[in-house]
Amino acid sequence: MRTPTTLLLLVGAILFSGAGYVRSDASNHRYKDGDTVPLYANKVGPFHNPSETYRYFDLPFCIPEGVKEKKEALGEVLNGDRLVSAPYKLNFRDEKESEVYCNKKLTKEEVKQFRKAVEKDYYFQMYYDDLPIWGFIGKVDKDIKSDPSEFKYFLYKHIQFEILYNKDRVIEISARMDPHSLVDLTEDKEVDAEFMYTVKWKETETPFEKRMEKYSMSSSLPHHLEIHWFSIINSCVTVLLLTGFLATILMRVLKNDFMKYAQDEEAADDQEESGWKYIHGDVFRFPTHNSLFAASLGSGTQLFTLTIFIFMLALVGVFYPYNRGALFTALVVIYALTSGIAGYTSASFYCQLEGKSWVRNLLLTGCLFCGPLFLTFCFLNTVAITYTATAALPFGTIVVIVLIWTLVTSPLLVLGGIAGKNSKAEFQAPCRTTKYPREIPPLPWYRSAIPQMAMAGFLPFSAIYIELYYIFASVWGHRIYTIYSILFIVFIILIIVTAFITVALTYFQLAAEDHQWWWRSFLCGGSTGLFIYAYCLYYYYARSDMSGFMQTSFFFGYMACICYGFFLMLGTIGFRAALLFVRHIYRSIKCE
């Protein structure tokens, strides 16, 4: 049986040998004059639609002889990367001036295809010695004209590469399109195009180990850092005020409650109880739908563990910029390896709630998060196949993911479930539960579930919303996000605020003699996920230029899954905090 240490080593091996191979491979790349340096064309697509990307040669560029596809790791395929050998020859320190690599007569259909791509701001992406290169394929000349039918469309036909090197290493590459070398695509007619490229080499003192810093510095610019720190300070002030206010109020109120209940015990026994002590015989009555509740806790605990592991890898530098697919590989592998935690947590808590059908509970746990994710993936993959986009996963990759789920995720889930069932832990309740539940008194509308969820989700969301913009601009745009330390601080703040606000609302619910706090604490904790999804609507329509059915489907489909994951994770944190609090206050009083 594998120990946790062995599993962690396995994760590291997969990450660094699979998606993380870019750094290790590149470190072995030393070249002599004239040596072939690997150059791969990756993909093209509309600049404002990051999910809508196509293979480079889906556009009618000149296809060189013997095009080879690069073998890709799992994370790269999930990321939509499809690398093929590029038509340019950029040998080490071999300069070229306006070298023609292809003469092509573009047909009317090809002119239309290129014009449509230029109209949608298509960009291309390549990798040279594992360094990324971008550029636009053409430009639109609007010339102060408001009527789109009068616009002129041009295709760039001359690309100028400038490469920096240090001794025998490639350090940096940039590509610039020649604005004077154009092909007119405005009219539907055959056009002769002479595609060419220029290569210039310059020496630099930048060491090879620092060549990726150029890409990570963009998110560390002073004005960006100021906003990040403003976000942190804003969140910290929110947390301090909230925690201080709640701690003061709750301690004072609880102290008064304890003194009152102590005096009540010394006074006449027939005096009627009121407040949260009044429901001590019902507060630990198990919730309805206990199997779903335990499964939600199991899935939430697994997702929390997954998030912590991802942060650990990010903080040690695994997810450096353009380490293609490392994050996706890490998510798949770590989710598979942590499924045992979901099985153990769910089954043990389900047995504590006196549940009998633990096998059905395990099945529910396995499908609670994976089920909606799988259905969403099936729909979006079908959309991507219809569009012939690179986001459509090949059949082989789908088989690999199914095998991981079948051979790793499911067995670990079952093993965790068996261990949880056999733990034979009993639910620790300080008070005895009465046979019949007390009737809950009529409560005002603002004490019902939905208003309470709105109150509970707003404060944690307000602590993270500034940072959300940068994350969205990175995931659904072309910004680079590398300040994982700040993101980790924001995540800790999110957890603290979620726990405190759930505890406060649970206290006020119990003080109103409403003993059905189990599901309420989970829903209140997880409600931040609903606020994040509402922010998705705002970001899509107000802060981005995304458009089209495919991009819209991908954005709202996958963000629904991510927000659902947040709902489960933060709901678990909220319930755990509320449970600790409820146990503490009822342990502090004498219950008959």
Side-chain angles (χ1 to χ4, degrees), residues 414-558:
V414 172
L415 287 174
I418 293 170
K421 173 183 172 288
N422 294 333
S423 64
K424 300 194 186 305
E426 292 186 4
F427 186 79
Q428 302 297 320
C431 303
R432 216 172 40 242
T433 302
T434 56
K435 189 173 181 181
Y436 301 106
R438 290 183 187 270
E439 187 179 351
I440 298 170
L443 298 172
W445 66 269
Y446 58 82
R447 287 194 181 275
S448 58
I450 292 175
Q452 295 284 296
M453 287 172 67
M455 290 167 62
F458 178 74
L459 273 171
F461 175 76
S462 68
I464 64 167
Y465 83 98
I466 295 176
E467 209 64 24
L468 272 183
Y469 169 75
Y470 287 95
I471 297 166
F472 273 57
S474 173
V475 176
W476 300 105
H478 301 280
R479 282 179 183 263
I480 300 167
Y481 193 99
T482 55
I483 316 176
Y484 299 112
S485 53
I486 287 181
L487 188 60
F488 185 63
I489 295 170
V490 171
F491 179 68
I492 297 297
I493 290 169
L494 174 64
I495 290 170
I496 293 169
V497 177
T498 301
F500 264 87
I501 195 70
T502 309
V503 164
L505 290 174
T506 301
Y507 169 78
F508 292 126
Q509 182 183 356
L510 296 178
E513 299 176 11
D514 181 355
H515 53 78
Q516 294 177 347
W517 63 275
W518 297 70
W519 274 109
R520 179 74 64 83
S521 63
F522 188 93
L523 294 172
C524 285
S527 59
T528 306
L530 302 177
F531 275 83
I532 296 173
Y533 200 66
Y535 179 82
C536 293
L537 292 166
Y538 164 75
Y539 181 84
Y540 183 86
Y541 290 107
R543 302 301 294 269
S544 80
D545 294 310
M546 291 184 272
S547 60
F549 179 72
M550 178 182 166
Q551 183 61 46
T552 306
S553 302
F554 268 70
F555 180 75
F556 287 108
Y558 281 128

Side-chain angles (χ1 to χ4, degrees), residues 18-212:
Y21 73 93
V22 176
R23 181 176 284 179
S24 59
D25 274 4
S27 64
N28 296 325
H29 285 181
R30 295 177 182 274
Y31 304 102
K32 296 176 183 176
D33 289 1
D35 280 359
T36 301
V37 184
L39 173 65
Y40 293 101
N42 186 15
K43 52 192 176 186
V44 293
F47 183 75
H48 299 295
N49 288 357
S51 301
E52 187 184 341
T53 54
Y54 305 94
R55 292 175 179 270
Y56 183 80
F57 291 115
D58 282 354
L59 288 178
F61 289 113
C62 297
I63 302 176
E65 293 181 5
V67 174
K68 293 181 181 178
E69 293 198 2
K70 190 178 189 298
K71 289 186 177 179
E72 290 158 337
L74 173 64
E76 289 181 292
V77 179
L78 293 174
N79 197 38
D81 292 333
R82 303 289 186 272
L83 278 71
V84 295
S85 51
Y88 311 103
K89 302 296 180 189
L90 275 58
N91 295 340
F92 191 71
R93 292 185 61 184
D94 183 5
E95 294 204 346
K96 295 180 180 180
E97 186 65 45
S98 301
E99 175 147 329
V100 177
Y101 74 89
C102 165
N103 282 299
K104 184 171 184 178
K105 192 177 192 72
L106 298 176
T107 64
K108 288 182 181 179
E109 288 71 23
E110 290 173 336
V111 168
K112 280 183 183 177
Q113 195 176 349
F114 269 128
R115 186 172 64 238
K116 187 178 178 183
V118 171
E119 187 181 1
K120 290 185 175 180
D121 275 336
Y122 265 52
Y123 71 99
F124 66 83
Q125 186 188 46
M126 298 183 183
Y127 282 94
Y128 182 68
D129 195 43
D130 287 319
L131 291 171
I133 314 167
W134 310 267
F136 286 98
I137 67 164
K139 69 172 186 176
V140 181
D141 186 3
K142 299 183 180 178
D143 198 24
I144 323 176
K145 291 171 182 170
S146 57
D147 186 1
S149 63
E150 296 180 7
F151 294 167
K152 290 188 175 181
Y153 301 90
F154 296 99
L155 176 70
Y156 293 123
K157 62 178 183 177
H158 187 187
I159 182 168
Q160 299 168 331
F161 295 102
E162 185 176 284
I163 307 169
L164 303 184
Y165 70 97
N166 185 349
K167 297 176 182 175
D168 56 355
R169 305 268 204 171
V170 177
I171 303 300
E172 187 179 320
I173 183 168
S174 59
R176 191 171 64 86
M177 315 309 290
D178 185 352
H180 305 295
S181 185
L182 304 166
V183 178
D184 192 342
L185 305 170
T186 309
E187 297 178 18
D188 287 338
K189 63 179 182 180
E190 293 186 350
V191 179
D192 290 316
E194 185 181 53
F195 292 99
M196 62 185 86
Y197 65 106
T198 296
V199 186
K200 299 287 185 186
W201 288 83
K202 291 183 180 178
E203 194 164 7
T204 180
E205 297 297 320
T206 306
F208 179 82
E209 292 72 24
K210 293 187 177 181
R211 71 175 189 162
M212 299 306 289

